């Protein structure tokens, strides 16, 4: 266990951004806001800096990290670009989409960043503070979600502090994340494949490509840990698709209904996605089981149900 350090909370000002960029350039860790969830960033070219992310999160070392870049030009310098990558990047970047592509020779990314894989997950986030930080730092920034490994992703600077205070150098406070779910991950190294549902609905990606995405074969080896069953785990026991509450349960609702907290009283999936992790954090702060109302499995609902299923899975 490394010595505790004081975690600085940085304001969303030019000074805060400059300080955050300087910490990244010096090999330190900065949690920063993106439109999906907060990321825990470090210089992806520095093996030591990236290793210190794994250390802060207690993350198993075989998990590859997503590298964050300010624009598609920066991405083209790191990976073998394809027509599909061009189509998806021009349709959805900046935004909640990660593309996995083969690394180019001379890429300079530390092997610990990719966990030794010959491919790289890349994303151009839309959040203005993430954009400003990436441009000012001038580095490809490796960033997993800014939560201890196996816990709920952070969608506010307070969540980051709850989970990682004394373990990272700083958090840049940009308010709540708008999308609230991690990015959708599409593998483009072979047949375009949905590797993780997320903040960009798979239907929108299929429409841009003009064909459906292949789904990852459930029997295939796990190359992305978001794919292991128990991953986004609150402390509380979760019961899904609940149509009634049992004694002692608190109800996380969806649509008009009496409940303890509602993901979206209006039944809006975008609002529900944005509220998901924050509401789970709030319910998890008190003891006792949580029942979750049924969520329709279309559009963003597919990603919400994916995260809920992992949160409810028996702990591995
Ligand atoms: O929205 C997001 O994607 C957030 C923000 C911070 O950008 N990041 C995020 O990172 O969710 P993380 O580390 O919690 O999840 C990244 C996922 C992992 O499941 C990882 O295995 C997968 O991306 N991944 C990264 N590189 C990959 C690669 N080369 N091949 C397959 N999967 C990869
Ligand atoms: Mg994560």
């Amino acid at each position: 266990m490394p010595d505790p350090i004081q975690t600085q909370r940085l304001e969303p000002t030019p000074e805060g951004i400059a300080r955050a960029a300087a910490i990244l350039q010096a090999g330190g860790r900065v949690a920063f806001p993106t439109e999906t969830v907060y990321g825990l960033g470090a210089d992806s070219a520095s093996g030591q800096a990236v290793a210190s992310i794994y250390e802060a999160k207690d993350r198993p070392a075989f998990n590859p990290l997503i590298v964050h870049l300010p624009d598609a030009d920066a991405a083209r310098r790191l990976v073998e670009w394809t027509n599909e990558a061009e189509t998806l990047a021009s349709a959805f970047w900046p935004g909640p989409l990660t593309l996995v592509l083969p690394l180019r020779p001379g890429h300079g990314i530390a092997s610990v960043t990719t966990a030794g894989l010959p491919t790289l997950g890349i994303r151009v986030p839309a959040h203005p503070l993430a954009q400003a930080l990436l441009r000012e730092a001038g580095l490809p920034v490796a960033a997993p979600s800014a939560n201890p490994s196996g816990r709920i992703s952070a969608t506010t600077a307070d969540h980051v502090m709850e989970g990682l205070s004394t373990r990272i150098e700083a958090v840049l406070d940009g308010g709540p994340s708008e999308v609230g779910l991690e990015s959708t991950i599409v593998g483009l190294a072979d047949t375009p494949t949905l590797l993780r549902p997320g903040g960009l609905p798979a239907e929108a990606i299929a429409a841009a490509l003009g064909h459906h995405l292949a789904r990852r074969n459930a029997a295939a080896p796990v190359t992305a840990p978001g794919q292991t069953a128990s991953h986004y785990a609150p402390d509380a026991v979760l019961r899904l698709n609940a149509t009634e509450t049992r004694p002692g349960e608190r109800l996380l609702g969806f649509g008009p209904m009496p409940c303890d907290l509602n993901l979206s009283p209006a039944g809006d999936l975008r609002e529900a996605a944005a509220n998901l992790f924050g509401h789970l954090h709030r319910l998890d702060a008190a003891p006792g089981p949580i029942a979750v109302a049924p969520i329709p499995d279309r559009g963003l609902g597919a990603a919400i149900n994916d995260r809920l299923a992992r949160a409810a899975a028996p702990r591995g």
Side-chain angles (χ1 to χ4, degrees), residues 98-242:
T98 294
L99 300 177
V100 174
L101 288 155
L103 278 161
R104 280 180 64 169
H107 53 78
I109 302 292
S111 63
V112 64
T113 303
T114 60
L117 293 175
T119 53
L120 186 67
I122 43 175
R123 178 158 112 76
V124 174
H127 196 293
L129 278 176
Q131 279 283 331
L133 177 60
L134 292 171
R135 286 179 197 282
E136 179 124 358
L139 305 164
V141 173
S145 49
N147 51 281
S149 189
R151 306 310 305 254
I152 302 167
S153 294
T155 53
T156 66
D158 283 341
H159 294 161
V160 175
M161 288 300 267
E162 267 168 44
L164 297 175
S165 164
T166 75
R167 310 187 71 142
I168 64 174
E169 281 67 28
V171 54
L172 184 59
D173 188 349
S177 293
E178 217 172 281
V179 177
L181 285 175
E182 297 86 347
S183 61
T184 301
I185 305 182
V186 175
L188 291 178
D190 312 292
T191 314
T193 302
L194 182 67
L195 296 177
R196 175 178 76 180
L200 179 67
E203 293 90 328
I205 298 169
L209 286 175
H211 60 81
H212 284 289
L213 289 168
R215 299 290 163 134
R216 199 184 64 92
N217 171 3
V222 172
T223 52
Q227 297 159 4
T228 57
S230 167
H231 184 61
Y232 299 90
D235 286 329
V237 170
L238 233 66
R239 190 168 66 83
L240 306 185
N241 294 310

Side-chain angles (χ1 to χ4, degrees), residues 1-26:
M1 183 73 176
D3 287 338
I5 54 176
Q6 181 157 11
T7 303
Q8 295 175 56
R9 202 177 174 115
L10 301 172
E11 295 301 314
T13 58
E15 296 71 36
I17 293 163
R19 180 81 198 112
I23 293 171
L24 290 176
Q25 287 162 349

Side-chain angles (χ1 to χ4, degrees), residues 301-316:
I304 295 172
N305 283 323
D306 172 82
R307 302 304 185 275
L308 284 169
R310 292 174 204 290
R315 308 300 145 77

